[in-house]
Amino acid sequence: MLGTWKDLRPLFPSLGTRPSFSGDGFWLKTVNRASSRPLAGSRNSRRQRKYWLVVGADEGGVLYGTFALLARIAQGQDLSTLDDLETPSAPIRWVNQWDNLDGSIERGYAGGSIFFENGAVRTDLTRAREYARLLASIGINGCAINNVNADPRLLQAEFLPQLARVAEAFRPWGVRLAISVDLSSPMSAGGLKTFDPLDPQVKAWWQNMVDRIYHEIPDFGGFVIKADSEGRSGPSKYGRTAADAANVIAGALRPHHGVMLYRAFVYNHHLDWHDPKADRARAAFDYFHPLDGKFLDNVVVQIKNGPIDFQVREPVSPLFGAMPQTNQAIELQVTQEYTGQQRHLVYLVPMWKEVLDFDMHVKGVTPVKSILSGQVWNRPLGGYVAVVNVGLDRYWLGHPLAMANLYGYGRLAWNPDLSAEQIAREWTRLTFGNDRKVLDTITRMLLPSWRMYENYTGPLGLQTLTDITGPHYGPGIESSENNGWGQWHRADRKGVGMDRTVETGTGFVGQYSPEVEKKYESVEKCPEDLLLFMHHVPYSFVLDSGKTVIQYLYDSHYAGAEQAATLVEEWKSLEGLIDDARYAEVLRRQQYQAGHAIVWRDAVVDWFHRESGIADAQGRVGYHPHRVEAEDMQLSGYTPVDVTPGETASGGKAVACTGQGPCSASFKWDRPSGTYEIAVQYFDLNHGASNFELFVNDRRIDSWAAEDHLPSDRMNGHTSTRRTISSVKLREGDVLKIVGHPDGGEPAPLDYVEIAPGRETVPFTN
Ligand code: GCW
């Protein structure tokens, strides 16, 4: 039986006094009650009947309790005696979508928007409805549907009824609609001459706008604001603060119980990189800390988990410990902007757990999670936001296993004490069923995947060594230097890392409480996985393991790429136990990841090798005995080209078929006969779908199209892709030939062929 406490208590007096649950909480409880009517077929007219009760603290609780019961059933749990009382950890459990009105999604990797198309809300909101149900099933109660780089058109009069349609789709599932708004809206959408938050006309404009929204959408959630950040307008234009701006709008929302989430992602992206004291990591604290206590009670400052920007590893933002009189929400990122864009499997829950459990030491033991719940400083509001960016893709996030992150986010927002493993197991059961082998294998794939990715993309606190001025995907080690964006790692000929200490560096470390500061300030005590975030050290600096920093960089990249390859084997072991469609989709992505991890590995180690001039003690870097460079093959039609950055192609060069084509590249196999695995490294540009054929002598043994949509139309670390052909029999003297057919401006570009005596090599005679 389902119902709120108020409704069910009178029917079941044995429930006793009201348990300690509140907002959205529930109680799953089995009770026996004497039946009032005779049971059919029973001679005993007053038999005890057993009831499964879903008792909600309120209506939200009934909804979440029902999903919780369904989840227990789906996981095959024992339901004979239920007594499970839950209250969510925090009132704000929202998601943000960065959808644009034209249907595209900023940092979305799974198709177009489920909300917008062609400048308007979609006519068909089926997916939006399904999304709301999905969100409700994991306890999420709010969704801001548009990009924080907000389009002011959303606040135009004709848009309101469209937003009301989305709210209607969300309503049955308890998900409140929210939107991101641009602070300059009073000018751009309202035609005023100013958007100065302290101007009375501006204030009146917001009040009027908010009232109109609530007239159409009485359960509207509120606004998200990105201001004075990455070129967005903001209160600084008028010499006003974030508190001035937030409060004017929050004041208008307050009578309607709406909230204002003001993002702390405020920084100067024109920093002077010559200045050793300049530091983007300091920005949020420097700007917001002085404003503590100045925000209205329905303002929540939305703080990214780290001080930079969703890197593969960052320390916890010091701001969490610095605003006792301000509501705070953490902003996490489910969409894997800097963590492989759902082409790489990266289960982020272990990372989030580290953040949430991190003790800020501001008032006794104060983990971030208890600051967010409002517990530490008795705040009325607080909680969780994740940037999700699901799209029209049939698996919502592209990679079917990436949904473990959305699930995990919801579960942690509800209960941050759950473990990463428990969440992985729950999700796997609910998604793929209760087969033991499936459960163990997928859990084994998920749990180490973050560390794996870190190993080949930027360990020791280097942050993701990606192309930071481009798509944030493949390797681009130098791109973070010599520009104002401030994602610096400060690698030079002698050493690497950014000195953020109080003593000699930018002073960022001093933004933490004294206990935390002490740990980070000292190069000896600093945890090694953040060493280069906090300190600049010579490449010869010796780590606890006895390895030098440079050798660690080499080793971790080799280890990471090897680990990525194991994911393919793990997944293959599930063939027949997973439905064909999802099996094939995950396999394709894992194979791609294994290849791209090698691209990452080679680019990073080559770059550091060149920069430091220090050889790899294991002799791997720069030595590829099993590779044949395309530029060294016998070319017909193909011409050698330089690739930029050089380290994203083997030997810095590739070949391109720039004419009509087809072109070919061939070489003679002069090694022992045997069965080999052949890897062909090529570039799959965003445009065109070149075709490749691989011949041994005149026999075609494989062909494929370069038809993926990787985020670049040039040959580089974003587009470098590996095709692997197993079990190829080669005889000494055979001629291998690759024929490339260019298409749509994509010149069938080829980097190298690698023929390694792999695991599956068996001697072959005859
Ligand atoms: O990391 C950056 C992203 C931007 C994003 C911004 C933000 C929406 O690259 O795409 O803009 O963060 O969080 O505001």
Side-chain angles (χ1 to χ4, degrees):
M1 197 172 283
L2 318 177
T4 59
W5 169 259
K6 207 159 52 48
D7 296 334
L8 290 188
R9 172 63 178 74
L11 301 176
F12 297 92
S14 68
L15 287 175
T17 53
R18 187 184 163 101
S20 59
F21 61 175
S22 55
D24 291 341
F26 58 80
W27 190 13
L28 302 183
K29 175 89 180 138
T30 38
V31 291
N32 291 311
R33 194 183 71 167
S35 141
S36 49
R37 278 178 295 131
L39 287 175
S42 161
R43 273 181 293 141
N44 182 349
S45 61
R46 304 244 356 129
R47 266 243 327 242
Q48 289 277 305
R49 269 188 155 187
K50 184 169 185 174
Y51 286 84
W52 278 261
L53 302 185
V54 177
V55 189
D58 49 23
E59 286 202 348
V62 182
L63 176 71
Y64 302 123
T66 307
F67 275 118
L69 181 63
L70 290 173
R72 281 162 181 69
I73 294 169
Q75 292 173 71
Q77 290 179 9
D78 178 12
L79 304 176
S80 45
T81 342
L82 278 180
D83 190 1
D84 184 1
L85 187 68
E86 296 194 22
T87 292
S89 78
I92 305 266
R93 301 182 309 278
W94 282 23
V95 295
N96 286 179
Q97 287 276 137
W98 288 350
D99 297 30
N100 299 314
L101 268 52
D102 65 1
S104 63
I105 304 180
E106 181 155 348
R107 313 299 177 190
Y109 310 108
S113 172
I114 62 172
F115 301 114
F116 304 106
E117 66 187 346
N118 303 324
V121 167
R122 295 171 60 86
T123 356
D124 179 3
L125 288 176
T126 311
R127 288 295 293 271
R129 249 185 297 279
E130 290 171 357
Y131 189 40
R133 184 182 64 194
L134 189 159
L135 294 175
S137 76
I138 52 170
I140 301 299
N141 60 3
C143 173
I145 59 172
N146 64 308
N147 196 345
V148 286
N149 294 324
D151 190 325
R153 278 182 297 169
L154 218 67
L155 290 180
Q156 285 169 354
E158 65 268 23
F159 230 97
L160 270 184
Q162 301 185 43
L163 293 177
R165 285 184 46 237
V166 182
E168 206 176 279
F170 282 180
R171 192 162 296 125
W173 304 106
V175 176
R176 295 174 101 191
L177 173 77
I179 57 172
S180 300
V181 289
D182 189 272
L183 265 188
S184 69
S185 299
M187 277 173 87
S188 48
L192 300 188
K193 295 217 158 39
T194 174
F195 66 90
D196 178 355
L198 299 192
D199 183 290
Q201 270 187 305
V202 169
K203 187 173 176 200
W205 187 88
W206 281 112
Q207 184 67 65
N208 181 268
M209 175 54 63
V210 166
D211 292 346
R212 273 169 46 201
I213 294 177
Y214 277 92
H215 182 71
E216 300 268 344
I217 310 168
D219 55 354
F220 182 70
F223 295 135
V224 179
I225 287 209
K226 171 177 180 178
D228 283 323
S229 167
E230 302 186 329
R232 305 302 297 178
S233 50
S236 68
K237 178 161 186 211
Y238 302 99
R240 313 295 187 204
T241 67
D244 296 329
N247 291 347
V248 162
I249 306 174
L253 289 163
R254 192 153 57 170
H256 303 283
H257 310 291
V259 298
M260 143 75 52
L261 284 134
Y262 199 101
R263 297 177 84 225
F265 189 61
V266 175
Y267 71 101
N268 170 11
H269 66 284
H270 299 291
L271 279 180
D272 176 9
W273 66 91
H274 302 290
D275 176 3
K277 300 282 178 196
D279 186 1
R280 169 171 164 187
R282 293 188 56 114
F285 180 101
D286 284 346
Y287 187 78
F288 281 88
H289 172 61
L291 299 177
D292 185 33
K294 303 223 159 74
F295 292 96
L296 289 183
D297 261 6
N298 62 329
V299 177
V300 181
V301 175
Q302 179 170 322
I303 307 166
K304 287 193 183 186
N305 61 277
I308 299 286
D309 190 8
F310 301 134
Q311 300 300 293
V312 67
R313 187 183 292 269
E314 291 183 46
V316 168
S317 170
L319 193 54
F320 291 116
M323 303 193 88
Q325 299 178 74
T326 305
N327 301 323
Q328 302 184 25
I330 192 168
E331 181 179 312
L332 302 170
Q333 207 185 34
V334 167
T335 189
Q336 295 170 230
E337 176 180 356
Y338 283 94
T339 49
Q341 306 190 353
Q342 285 106 277
R343 291 173 180 276
H344 292 237
L345 176 66
V346 182
Y347 177 56
L348 291 162
V349 174
M351 177 211 273
W352 300 334
K353 279 293 289 178
E354 283 191 19
V355 173
L356 297 172
D357 290 341
F358 185 83
D359 189 351
M360 301 300 293
H361 285 284
V362 282
K363 201 180 149 203
V365 178
T366 40
V368 170
K369 61 188 173 193
S370 48
I371 293 173
L372 301 174
S373 67
Q375 236 169 288
V376 172
W377 291 304
N378 275 325
R379 299 302 315 164
L381 272 181
Y384 295 74
V385 178
V387 182
V388 178
N389 296 354
V390 297
L392 287 167
D393 176 84
R394 81 184 272 204
Y395 301 112
W396 295 99
L397 283 170
H399 195 315
L401 302 187
M403 287 298 272
N405 287 327
L406 178 51
Y407 179 82
Y409 163 68
R411 296 292 286 139
L412 285 180
W414 185 275
N415 178 4
D417 296 330
L418 294 171
S419 77
E421 176 165 357
Q422 182 177 344
I423 292 173
R425 290 187 162 270
E426 277 181 14
W427 178 79
T428 305
R429 283 178 184 277
L430 294 172
T431 308
F432 291 102
N434 292 308
D435 182 282
R436 192 86 224 166
K437 180 163 183 208
V438 173
L439 178 62
D440 290 345
T441 307
I442 295 181
T443 307
R444 218 167 36 235
M445 291 172 74
L446 292 173
L447 284 176
S449 58
W450 165 47
R451 170 65 84 165
M452 221 178 251
Y453 187 79
E454 179 183 31
N455 280 344
Y456 61 78
T457 62
L460 298 175
L462 275 172
Q463 310 162 71
T464 319
L465 293 167
T466 190
D467 182 355
I468 71 124
T469 53
H472 302 174
Y473 179 60
I477 300 95
E478 235 165 275
S479 68
S480 58
E481 299 308 294
N482 305 328
N483 60 47
W485 289 93
Q487 285 181 227
W488 309 317
H489 50 67
R490 303 285 200 204
D492 57 24
R493 310 205 75 75
K494 295 203 191 107
V496 55
M498 178 133 173
D499 184 355
R500 293 191 156 101
T501 61
V502 174
E503 185 75 18
T504 54
T506 68
F508 164 78
V509 167
Q511 294 183 337
Y512 292 96
S513 63
E515 281 88 340
V516 179
E517 176 186 331
K518 228 181 290 157
K519 183 170 67 170
Y520 288 153
E521 180 76 8
S522 135
V523 75
E524 286 82 29
K525 289 204 197 99
C526 182
E528 285 186 348
D529 50 24
L530 285 171
L531 180 70
L532 304 179
F533 194 92
M534 307 292 179
H535 298 271
H536 184 82
V537 299
Y539 290 113
S540 57
F541 182 88
V542 179
L543 300 167
D544 288 346
S545 57
K547 275 184 194 175
T548 59
V549 161
I550 190 75
Q551 193 58 40
Y552 185 95
L553 290 182
Y554 295 149
D555 290 352
S556 77
H557 281 80
Y558 279 90
E562 268 172 37
Q563 290 159 344
T566 64
L567 295 176
V568 177
E569 299 313 312
E570 289 273 26
W571 186 254
K572 278 185 176 167
S573 76
L574 298 183
E575 189 170 8
L577 298 173
I578 304 272
D579 56 283
D580 293 348
R582 285 188 295 182
Y583 177 77
E585 186 59 29
V586 173
L587 180 60
R588 191 175 70 80
R589 286 176 193 256
Q590 294 316 135
Q591 284 170 331
Y592 168 81
Q593 177 181 356
H596 199 230
I598 293 172
V599 175
W600 263 101
R601 175 196 78 190
D602 289 351
V604 176
V605 300
D606 283 358
W607 190 89
F608 276 99
H609 184 219
R610 202 177 60 217
E611 194 68 12
S612 69
I614 301 174
D616 166 24
Q618 294 201 44
R620 298 156 301 190
V621 177
Y623 175 65
H624 303 290
H626 305 299
R627 266 181 207 180
V628 185
E629 296 293 341
E631 58 275 19
D632 298 336
M633 295 178 193
Q634 181 93 33
L635 301 179
S636 159
Y638 267 124
T639 44
V641 287
D642 289 328
V643 170
T644 328
E647 67 276 6
T648 58
S650 194
K653 285 189 190 315
V655 300
C657 181
T658 43
Q660 284 296 304
C663 300
S664 71
S666 52
F667 61 98
K668 194 183 261 177
W669 178 246
D670 55 8
R671 303 273 172 97
S673 301
T675 304
Y676 291 90
E677 188 178 271
I678 302 183
V680 179
Q681 199 73 30
Y682 64 101
F683 295 91
D684 187 341
L685 313 190
N686 196 0
H687 58 259
S690 310
N691 262 280
F692 293 94
E693 297 173 282
L694 174 63
F695 293 85
V696 176
N697 301 323
D698 286 327
R699 195 165 52 89
R700 192 170 86 161
I701 60 161
D702 193 26
S703 70
W704 67 96
E707 58 190 354
D708 203 343
H709 292 284
L710 291 154
S712 173
D713 55 10
R714 302 178 44 184
M715 298 172 213
N716 55 32
H718 310 303
T719 55
S720 183
T721 306
R722 176 171 280 232
R723 172 85 177 181
T724 305
I725 307 109
S726 347
S727 309
V728 182
K729 291 178 176 175
L730 293 178
R731 274 186 217 131
E732 207 176 324
D734 279 350
V735 173
L736 281 95
K737 182 169 71 175
I738 293 157
V739 177
H741 304 263
D743 175 71
E746 182 185 59
L750 205 59
D751 188 359
Y752 63 87
V753 171
E754 189 156 54
I755 306 180
R759 254 169 304 147
E760 50 185 299
T761 305
V762 287
F764 169 64
T765 45
N766 176 12

